[in-house]
Short mmCIF file of all heavy atoms in Angstrom, two decimals:
data_model
loop_
_atom_site.label_atom_id
_atom_site.label_comp_id
_atom_site.label_asym_id
_atom_site.label_seq_id
_atom_site.Cartn_x
_atom_site.Cartn_y
_atom_site.Cartn_z
N MET A 28 -9.32 -21.61 9.60
CA MET A 28 -9.99 -20.70 8.71
C MET A 28 -9.42 -19.28 8.85
O MET A 28 -9.24 -18.59 7.86
CB MET A 28 -11.49 -20.72 9.03
CG MET A 28 -12.31 -19.87 8.12
SD MET A 28 -12.31 -20.56 6.48
CE MET A 28 -13.44 -19.50 5.69
N THR A 29 -9.14 -18.86 10.08
CA THR A 29 -8.58 -17.52 10.27
C THR A 29 -7.15 -17.42 9.73
O THR A 29 -6.74 -16.35 9.31
CB THR A 29 -8.61 -17.11 11.75
OG1 THR A 29 -7.87 -18.04 12.50
CG2 THR A 29 -10.03 -17.02 12.25
N GLN A 30 -6.43 -18.54 9.75
CA GLN A 30 -5.07 -18.51 9.20
C GLN A 30 -5.10 -18.33 7.69
O GLN A 30 -4.25 -17.64 7.13
CB GLN A 30 -4.32 -19.78 9.57
CG GLN A 30 -3.91 -19.82 11.02
CD GLN A 30 -3.09 -21.04 11.35
OE1 GLN A 30 -3.16 -22.04 10.65
NE2 GLN A 30 -2.30 -20.95 12.41
N ILE A 31 -6.07 -18.92 7.02
CA ILE A 31 -6.19 -18.75 5.57
C ILE A 31 -6.51 -17.29 5.26
O ILE A 31 -5.91 -16.69 4.35
CB ILE A 31 -7.25 -19.70 5.00
CG1 ILE A 31 -6.81 -21.14 5.16
CG2 ILE A 31 -7.54 -19.37 3.53
CD1 ILE A 31 -7.87 -22.16 4.81
N LEU A 32 -7.43 -16.71 5.99
CA LEU A 32 -7.76 -15.31 5.81
C LEU A 32 -6.55 -14.43 6.11
O LEU A 32 -6.30 -13.44 5.41
CB LEU A 32 -8.93 -14.92 6.71
CG LEU A 32 -9.39 -13.47 6.64
CD1 LEU A 32 -9.89 -13.13 5.24
CD2 LEU A 32 -10.45 -13.20 7.67
N GLY A 33 -5.79 -14.79 7.13
CA GLY A 33 -4.58 -14.05 7.47
C GLY A 33 -3.55 -14.08 6.36
O GLY A 33 -2.92 -13.07 6.04
N ILE A 34 -3.37 -15.24 5.75
CA ILE A 34 -2.41 -15.37 4.65
C ILE A 34 -2.87 -14.54 3.45
O ILE A 34 -2.06 -13.85 2.82
CB ILE A 34 -2.22 -16.85 4.27
CG1 ILE A 34 -1.50 -17.59 5.40
CG2 ILE A 34 -1.45 -16.99 2.96
CD1 ILE A 34 -1.46 -19.09 5.23
N ILE A 35 -4.15 -14.58 3.16
CA ILE A 35 -4.69 -13.79 2.04
C ILE A 35 -4.48 -12.30 2.30
O ILE A 35 -4.05 -11.55 1.41
CB ILE A 35 -6.17 -14.13 1.80
CG1 ILE A 35 -6.30 -15.56 1.28
CG2 ILE A 35 -6.81 -13.14 0.85
CD1 ILE A 35 -7.72 -16.07 1.24
N LEU A 36 -4.78 -11.85 3.51
CA LEU A 36 -4.59 -10.44 3.85
C LEU A 36 -3.12 -10.05 3.82
O LEU A 36 -2.76 -8.96 3.36
CB LEU A 36 -5.18 -10.13 5.22
CG LEU A 36 -6.67 -9.91 5.27
CD1 LEU A 36 -7.13 -9.79 6.73
CD2 LEU A 36 -7.06 -8.68 4.51
N LEU A 37 -2.27 -10.92 4.31
CA LEU A 37 -0.84 -10.64 4.34
C LEU A 37 -0.29 -10.48 2.92
O LEU A 37 0.39 -9.51 2.61
CB LEU A 37 -0.09 -11.75 5.09
CG LEU A 37 1.41 -11.60 5.22
CD1 LEU A 37 1.76 -10.36 6.01
CD2 LEU A 37 1.99 -12.83 5.87
N VAL A 38 -0.60 -11.43 2.06
CA VAL A 38 -0.10 -11.38 0.68
C VAL A 38 -0.71 -10.20 -0.07
O VAL A 38 -0.01 -9.45 -0.75
CB VAL A 38 -0.37 -12.72 -0.04
CG1 VAL A 38 -0.07 -12.62 -1.52
CG2 VAL A 38 0.42 -13.84 0.60
N GLY A 39 -2.01 -10.02 0.06
CA GLY A 39 -2.67 -8.90 -0.62
C GLY A 39 -2.16 -7.55 -0.14
O GLY A 39 -1.96 -6.62 -0.93
N GLY A 40 -1.94 -7.44 1.16
CA GLY A 40 -1.42 -6.20 1.72
C GLY A 40 -0.01 -5.90 1.26
O GLY A 40 0.33 -4.75 0.95
N LEU A 41 0.82 -6.93 1.19
CA LEU A 41 2.18 -6.72 0.71
C LEU A 41 2.20 -6.32 -0.76
O LEU A 41 2.96 -5.44 -1.16
CB LEU A 41 3.01 -7.99 0.92
CG LEU A 41 3.39 -8.29 2.37
CD1 LEU A 41 4.12 -9.63 2.47
CD2 LEU A 41 4.24 -7.18 2.94
N ILE A 42 1.35 -6.93 -1.56
CA ILE A 42 1.27 -6.57 -2.97
C ILE A 42 0.80 -5.12 -3.13
O ILE A 42 1.37 -4.36 -3.92
CB ILE A 42 0.35 -7.54 -3.74
CG1 ILE A 42 1.01 -8.91 -3.83
CG2 ILE A 42 0.01 -7.00 -5.12
CD1 ILE A 42 0.12 -10.00 -4.38
N ALA A 43 -0.21 -4.72 -2.36
CA ALA A 43 -0.71 -3.35 -2.44
C ALA A 43 0.36 -2.35 -1.99
O ALA A 43 0.52 -1.29 -2.61
CB ALA A 43 -1.96 -3.19 -1.58
N ALA A 44 1.11 -2.68 -0.96
CA ALA A 44 2.16 -1.78 -0.49
C ALA A 44 3.28 -1.66 -1.52
O ALA A 44 3.82 -0.57 -1.74
CB ALA A 44 2.71 -2.28 0.84
N ILE A 45 3.62 -2.75 -2.17
CA ILE A 45 4.66 -2.72 -3.20
C ILE A 45 4.21 -1.88 -4.40
O ILE A 45 4.98 -1.08 -4.93
CB ILE A 45 5.07 -4.15 -3.63
CG1 ILE A 45 5.83 -4.82 -2.49
CG2 ILE A 45 5.89 -4.15 -4.90
CD1 ILE A 45 6.07 -6.30 -2.69
N VAL A 46 2.96 -2.06 -4.80
CA VAL A 46 2.42 -1.25 -5.90
C VAL A 46 2.41 0.23 -5.50
O VAL A 46 2.72 1.11 -6.30
CB VAL A 46 1.01 -1.73 -6.31
CG1 VAL A 46 0.35 -0.76 -7.26
CG2 VAL A 46 1.10 -3.11 -6.93
N GLY A 47 2.09 0.52 -4.25
CA GLY A 47 2.11 1.90 -3.76
C GLY A 47 3.50 2.49 -3.77
O GLY A 47 3.69 3.66 -4.11
N LEU A 48 4.50 1.68 -3.42
CA LEU A 48 5.88 2.16 -3.47
C LEU A 48 6.33 2.43 -4.89
O LEU A 48 7.00 3.42 -5.16
CB LEU A 48 6.83 1.14 -2.82
CG LEU A 48 6.89 1.17 -1.31
CD1 LEU A 48 7.75 0.01 -0.80
CD2 LEU A 48 7.47 2.48 -0.83
N GLN A 49 5.95 1.55 -5.81
CA GLN A 49 6.30 1.77 -7.21
C GLN A 49 5.60 3.02 -7.73
O GLN A 49 6.19 3.80 -8.49
CB GLN A 49 5.90 0.57 -8.06
CG GLN A 49 6.79 -0.63 -7.85
CD GLN A 49 6.33 -1.82 -8.68
OE1 GLN A 49 5.18 -1.88 -9.10
NE2 GLN A 49 7.23 -2.75 -8.91
N ASP A 50 4.37 3.23 -7.33
CA ASP A 50 3.62 4.40 -7.76
C ASP A 50 4.21 5.68 -7.17
O ASP A 50 4.18 6.73 -7.80
CB ASP A 50 2.16 4.24 -7.34
CG ASP A 50 1.22 5.12 -8.13
OD1 ASP A 50 1.55 5.44 -9.28
OD2 ASP A 50 0.17 5.48 -7.59
N ALA A 51 4.76 5.60 -5.98
CA ALA A 51 5.31 6.78 -5.31
C ALA A 51 6.52 7.33 -6.04
O ALA A 51 6.81 8.53 -5.92
CB ALA A 51 5.67 6.44 -3.86
N PHE A 52 7.23 6.51 -6.77
CA PHE A 52 8.43 6.96 -7.46
C PHE A 52 8.21 7.14 -8.96
O PHE A 52 9.17 7.32 -9.71
CB PHE A 52 9.58 6.00 -7.20
CG PHE A 52 10.00 5.99 -5.76
CD1 PHE A 52 9.72 4.91 -4.96
CD2 PHE A 52 10.64 7.08 -5.20
CE1 PHE A 52 10.10 4.89 -3.63
CE2 PHE A 52 11.02 7.08 -3.88
CZ PHE A 52 10.75 5.98 -3.08
N GLY A 53 6.97 7.14 -9.40
CA GLY A 53 6.66 7.34 -10.81
C GLY A 53 6.67 8.82 -11.18
O GLY A 53 6.66 9.71 -10.33
N MET A 54 6.68 9.07 -12.48
CA MET A 54 6.74 10.46 -12.96
C MET A 54 5.48 11.24 -12.60
O MET A 54 5.54 12.42 -12.25
CB MET A 54 6.95 10.47 -14.48
CG MET A 54 8.34 10.05 -14.90
SD MET A 54 9.62 11.09 -14.18
CE MET A 54 9.31 12.61 -15.03
N ARG A 55 4.32 10.59 -12.68
CA ARG A 55 3.07 11.28 -12.36
C ARG A 55 3.05 11.71 -10.89
O ARG A 55 2.62 12.80 -10.55
CB ARG A 55 1.89 10.35 -12.65
CG ARG A 55 0.55 11.01 -12.43
CD ARG A 55 -0.57 10.05 -12.69
NE ARG A 55 -0.45 8.93 -11.74
CZ ARG A 55 -1.40 8.05 -11.54
NH1 ARG A 55 -2.49 8.09 -12.23
NH2 ARG A 55 -1.24 7.10 -10.65
N GLU A 56 3.54 10.84 -10.04
CA GLU A 56 3.56 11.14 -8.61
C GLU A 56 4.57 12.24 -8.29
O GLU A 56 4.32 13.10 -7.44
CB GLU A 56 3.89 9.88 -7.82
CG GLU A 56 3.76 10.03 -6.33
CD GLU A 56 2.33 10.26 -5.89
OE1 GLU A 56 1.42 9.73 -6.51
OE2 GLU A 56 2.13 10.99 -4.90
N ARG A 57 5.70 12.24 -8.97
CA ARG A 57 6.68 13.30 -8.76
C ARG A 57 6.11 14.66 -9.15
O ARG A 57 6.32 15.66 -8.46
CB ARG A 57 7.95 13.02 -9.57
CG ARG A 57 8.78 11.91 -9.00
CD ARG A 57 10.03 11.73 -9.80
NE ARG A 57 10.77 10.56 -9.33
CZ ARG A 57 11.81 10.07 -9.95
NH1 ARG A 57 12.26 10.63 -11.06
NH2 ARG A 57 12.42 9.01 -9.47
N ALA A 58 5.38 14.69 -10.27
CA ALA A 58 4.76 15.94 -10.69
C ALA A 58 3.69 16.39 -9.70
O ALA A 58 3.58 17.58 -9.38
CB ALA A 58 4.16 15.78 -12.08
N ALA A 59 2.92 15.46 -9.20
CA ALA A 59 1.88 15.79 -8.23
C ALA A 59 2.50 16.29 -6.92
O ALA A 59 1.99 17.24 -6.32
CB ALA A 59 1.00 14.57 -7.96
N ARG A 60 3.61 15.68 -6.51
CA ARG A 60 4.26 16.15 -5.28
C ARG A 60 4.85 17.54 -5.47
O ARG A 60 4.88 18.34 -4.55
CB ARG A 60 5.36 15.18 -4.85
CG ARG A 60 4.86 14.11 -3.92
CD ARG A 60 6.00 13.33 -3.37
NE ARG A 60 6.68 12.68 -4.50
CZ ARG A 60 7.67 11.83 -4.38
NH1 ARG A 60 8.14 11.53 -3.21
NH2 ARG A 60 8.22 11.28 -5.42
N LEU A 61 5.35 17.81 -6.67
CA LEU A 61 5.90 19.14 -6.96
C LEU A 61 4.80 20.20 -6.89
O LEU A 61 4.99 21.27 -6.33
CB LEU A 61 6.55 19.14 -8.34
CG LEU A 61 7.20 20.44 -8.79
CD1 LEU A 61 8.39 20.77 -7.89
CD2 LEU A 61 7.63 20.34 -10.23
N ILE A 62 3.63 19.88 -7.42
CA ILE A 62 2.52 20.85 -7.46
C ILE A 62 1.78 20.90 -6.12
O ILE A 62 1.55 21.96 -5.56
CB ILE A 62 1.55 20.50 -8.60
CG1 ILE A 62 2.26 20.67 -9.94
CG2 ILE A 62 0.30 21.36 -8.54
CD1 ILE A 62 1.50 20.10 -11.11
N LEU A 63 1.40 19.72 -5.60
CA LEU A 63 0.59 19.67 -4.39
C LEU A 63 1.41 19.66 -3.10
O LEU A 63 0.93 20.06 -2.05
CB LEU A 63 -0.29 18.41 -4.41
CG LEU A 63 -1.29 18.27 -5.55
CD1 LEU A 63 -1.95 16.91 -5.50
CD2 LEU A 63 -2.31 19.38 -5.48
N GLY A 64 2.63 19.15 -3.18
CA GLY A 64 3.47 19.06 -2.00
C GLY A 64 3.20 17.82 -1.16
O GLY A 64 3.67 17.73 -0.03
N ARG A 65 2.44 16.87 -1.69
CA ARG A 65 2.14 15.64 -0.95
C ARG A 65 1.83 14.53 -1.94
O ARG A 65 1.72 14.75 -3.14
CB ARG A 65 0.96 15.84 0.00
CG ARG A 65 -0.30 16.30 -0.70
CD ARG A 65 -1.44 16.51 0.29
NE ARG A 65 -2.53 17.25 -0.30
CZ ARG A 65 -3.49 16.71 -1.05
NH1 ARG A 65 -3.47 15.42 -1.30
NH2 ARG A 65 -4.44 17.46 -1.55
N PHE A 66 1.69 13.31 -1.41
CA PHE A 66 1.34 12.17 -2.25
C PHE A 66 -0.12 12.29 -2.71
O PHE A 66 -0.93 12.91 -2.04
CB PHE A 66 1.50 10.85 -1.49
CG PHE A 66 2.92 10.45 -1.27
CD1 PHE A 66 3.44 10.32 0.00
CD2 PHE A 66 3.75 10.15 -2.34
CE1 PHE A 66 4.74 9.94 0.21
CE2 PHE A 66 5.05 9.76 -2.15
CZ PHE A 66 5.56 9.66 -0.87
N THR A 67 -0.44 11.62 -3.80
CA THR A 67 -1.82 11.59 -4.25
C THR A 67 -2.62 10.64 -3.37
O THR A 67 -2.07 9.82 -2.64
CB THR A 67 -1.92 11.15 -5.72
OG1 THR A 67 -1.34 9.85 -5.85
CG2 THR A 67 -1.22 12.12 -6.64
N ARG A 68 -3.93 10.75 -3.47
CA ARG A 68 -4.82 9.92 -2.65
C ARG A 68 -4.64 8.44 -2.98
O ARG A 68 -4.68 7.59 -2.09
CB ARG A 68 -6.26 10.36 -2.87
CG ARG A 68 -7.24 9.56 -2.03
CD ARG A 68 -8.62 10.12 -2.13
NE ARG A 68 -8.59 11.42 -1.45
CZ ARG A 68 -9.52 12.35 -1.63
NH1 ARG A 68 -10.51 12.14 -2.44
NH2 ARG A 68 -9.45 13.49 -0.99
N ARG A 69 -4.46 8.12 -4.25
CA ARG A 69 -4.30 6.72 -4.67
C ARG A 69 -3.05 6.11 -4.04
O ARG A 69 -3.08 5.00 -3.52
CB ARG A 69 -4.22 6.63 -6.20
CG ARG A 69 -4.00 5.24 -6.70
CD ARG A 69 -3.93 5.22 -8.23
NE ARG A 69 -3.89 3.87 -8.74
CZ ARG A 69 -2.76 3.22 -9.00
NH1 ARG A 69 -1.61 3.81 -8.80
NH2 ARG A 69 -2.80 1.99 -9.45
N THR A 70 -1.95 6.84 -4.08
CA THR A 70 -0.70 6.33 -3.53
C THR A 70 -0.81 6.15 -2.02
O THR A 70 -0.38 5.13 -1.47
CB THR A 70 0.46 7.28 -3.87
OG1 THR A 70 0.52 7.41 -5.29
CG2 THR A 70 1.77 6.74 -3.37
N LEU A 71 -1.38 7.13 -1.35
CA LEU A 71 -1.55 7.00 0.10
C LEU A 71 -2.45 5.83 0.47
O LEU A 71 -2.19 5.11 1.44
CB LEU A 71 -2.12 8.30 0.69
CG LEU A 71 -1.12 9.43 0.88
CD1 LEU A 71 -1.84 10.68 1.35
CD2 LEU A 71 -0.05 9.04 1.85
N THR A 72 -3.51 5.65 -0.30
CA THR A 72 -4.42 4.53 -0.04
C THR A 72 -3.71 3.20 -0.21
O THR A 72 -3.88 2.29 0.62
CB THR A 72 -5.64 4.60 -0.98
OG1 THR A 72 -6.29 5.85 -0.80
CG2 THR A 72 -6.61 3.48 -0.70
N LEU A 73 -2.91 3.07 -1.25
CA LEU A 73 -2.19 1.82 -1.47
C LEU A 73 -1.16 1.57 -0.36
O LEU A 73 -1.04 0.45 0.14
CB LEU A 73 -1.49 1.83 -2.83
CG LEU A 73 -2.38 1.62 -4.03
CD1 LEU A 73 -1.62 1.92 -5.31
CD2 LEU A 73 -2.92 0.20 -4.06
N LEU A 74 -0.43 2.60 0.02
CA LEU A 74 0.60 2.42 1.05
C LEU A 74 0.00 2.13 2.43
O LEU A 74 0.38 1.15 3.09
CB LEU A 74 1.48 3.67 1.13
CG LEU A 74 2.43 3.90 -0.04
CD1 LEU A 74 3.07 5.27 0.06
CD2 LEU A 74 3.48 2.82 -0.10
N VAL A 75 -0.95 2.94 2.85
CA VAL A 75 -1.54 2.77 4.18
C VAL A 75 -2.42 1.53 4.24
O VAL A 75 -2.32 0.72 5.17
CB VAL A 75 -2.31 4.04 4.60
CG1 VAL A 75 -3.05 3.82 5.90
CG2 VAL A 75 -1.36 5.22 4.71
N GLY A 76 -3.28 1.38 3.24
CA GLY A 76 -4.17 0.21 3.22
C GLY A 76 -3.41 -1.10 3.12
O GLY A 76 -3.74 -2.08 3.78
N GLY A 77 -2.38 -1.11 2.28
CA GLY A 77 -1.56 -2.32 2.17
C GLY A 77 -0.83 -2.64 3.45
O GLY A 77 -0.74 -3.80 3.87
N GLY A 78 -0.32 -1.62 4.10
CA GLY A 78 0.38 -1.84 5.37
C GLY A 78 -0.55 -2.35 6.46
O GLY A 78 -0.20 -3.27 7.20
N VAL A 79 -1.73 -1.77 6.54
CA VAL A 79 -2.70 -2.20 7.56
C VAL A 79 -3.18 -3.63 7.28
O VAL A 79 -3.28 -4.46 8.19
CB VAL A 79 -3.89 -1.22 7.63
CG1 VAL A 79 -5.02 -1.77 8.46
CG2 VAL A 79 -3.44 0.11 8.18
N ALA A 80 -3.46 -3.93 6.00
CA ALA A 80 -3.92 -5.28 5.65
C ALA A 80 -2.83 -6.31 5.95
O ALA A 80 -3.11 -7.40 6.46
CB ALA A 80 -4.31 -5.34 4.18
N ALA A 81 -1.57 -5.98 5.65
CA ALA A 81 -0.47 -6.90 5.93
C ALA A 81 -0.31 -7.10 7.43
O ALA A 81 -0.06 -8.22 7.89
CB ALA A 81 0.82 -6.38 5.31
N LEU A 82 -0.46 -6.05 8.20
CA LEU A 82 -0.33 -6.16 9.66
C LEU A 82 -1.45 -7.01 10.24
O LEU A 82 -1.20 -7.90 11.07
CB LEU A 82 -0.35 -4.77 10.29
CG LEU A 82 -0.20 -4.72 11.80
CD1 LEU A 82 1.17 -5.24 12.22
CD2 LEU A 82 -0.39 -3.30 12.30
N VAL A 83 -2.67 -6.80 9.80
CA VAL A 83 -3.80 -7.61 10.28
C VAL A 83 -3.61 -9.06 9.87
O VAL A 83 -3.86 -9.99 10.64
CB VAL A 83 -5.14 -7.04 9.75
CG1 VAL A 83 -6.29 -7.99 10.03
CG2 VAL A 83 -5.43 -5.70 10.37
N GLY A 84 -3.16 -9.27 8.63
CA GLY A 84 -2.88 -10.63 8.16
C GLY A 84 -1.81 -11.32 9.00
O GLY A 84 -1.93 -12.50 9.33
N LEU A 85 -0.77 -10.58 9.34
CA LEU A 85 0.29 -11.15 10.17
C LEU A 85 -0.21 -11.51 11.56
O LEU A 85 0.14 -12.56 12.11
CB LEU A 85 1.45 -10.15 10.26
CG LEU A 85 2.70 -10.62 10.96
CD1 LEU A 85 3.33 -11.78 10.19
CD2 LEU A 85 3.69 -9.48 11.10
N ILE A 86 -1.07 -10.68 12.11
CA ILE A 86 -1.65 -10.96 13.43
C ILE A 86 -2.53 -12.22 13.37
O ILE A 86 -2.50 -13.05 14.28
CB ILE A 86 -2.43 -9.74 13.94
CG1 ILE A 86 -1.46 -8.63 14.29
CG2 ILE A 86 -3.29 -10.11 15.15
CD1 ILE A 86 -2.12 -7.30 14.60
N LEU A 87 -3.31 -12.35 12.29
CA LEU A 87 -4.19 -13.52 12.17
C LEU A 87 -3.41 -14.82 11.95
O LEU A 87 -3.86 -15.88 12.35
CB LEU A 87 -5.19 -13.31 11.03
CG LEU A 87 -6.29 -12.29 11.28
CD1 LEU A 87 -7.14 -12.13 10.02
CD2 LEU A 87 -7.16 -12.71 12.45
N VAL A 88 -2.27 -14.73 11.29
CA VAL A 88 -1.48 -15.93 11.03
C VAL A 88 -0.82 -16.44 12.31
O VAL A 88 -0.75 -17.66 12.53
CB VAL A 88 -0.42 -15.66 9.92
CG1 VAL A 88 0.58 -16.78 9.84
CG2 VAL A 88 -1.11 -15.46 8.59
N THR A 89 -0.37 -15.53 13.14
CA THR A 89 0.32 -15.97 14.36
C THR A 89 -0.62 -16.36 15.46
O THR A 89 -1.74 -16.12 15.49
CB THR A 89 1.26 -14.88 14.91
OG1 THR A 89 0.52 -13.70 15.15
CG2 THR A 89 2.37 -14.62 13.92
#
């Protein structure tokens, strides 16, 4: 049961991280970085949350 949850977290986390990476290089994000000097909250949430979920999923699978 924990392996199934691990696989779901791993796949979901990787998808969220990929969407965050795509969002980081978009025009809206470039404009926000130019004005604010940092990533937007949505992009940071996708990158960090996706990475953490993928890491937890990987730990549960092994």
Side-chain angles (χ1 to χ4, degrees):
M28 183 68 175
T29 59
Q30 287 184 337
I31 294 172
L32 180 62
I34 291 170
I35 292 170
L36 279 173
L37 181 63
V38 171
L41 288 176
I42 290 171
I45 290 170
V46 170
L48 279 174
Q49 287 178 340
D50 200 28
F52 294 108
M54 288 302 292
R55 184 182 62 167
E56 187 66 33
R57 286 183 186 172
R60 270 189 298 185
L61 181 65
I62 295 168
L63 299 174
R65 58 181 165 83
F66 287 118
T67 59
R68 181 173 292 162
R69 178 180 187 267
T70 303
L71 281 175
T72 303
L73 284 169
L74 289 171
V75 174
V79 169
L82 181 64
V83 170
L85 186 64
I86 290 171
L87 288 176
V88 168
T89 57

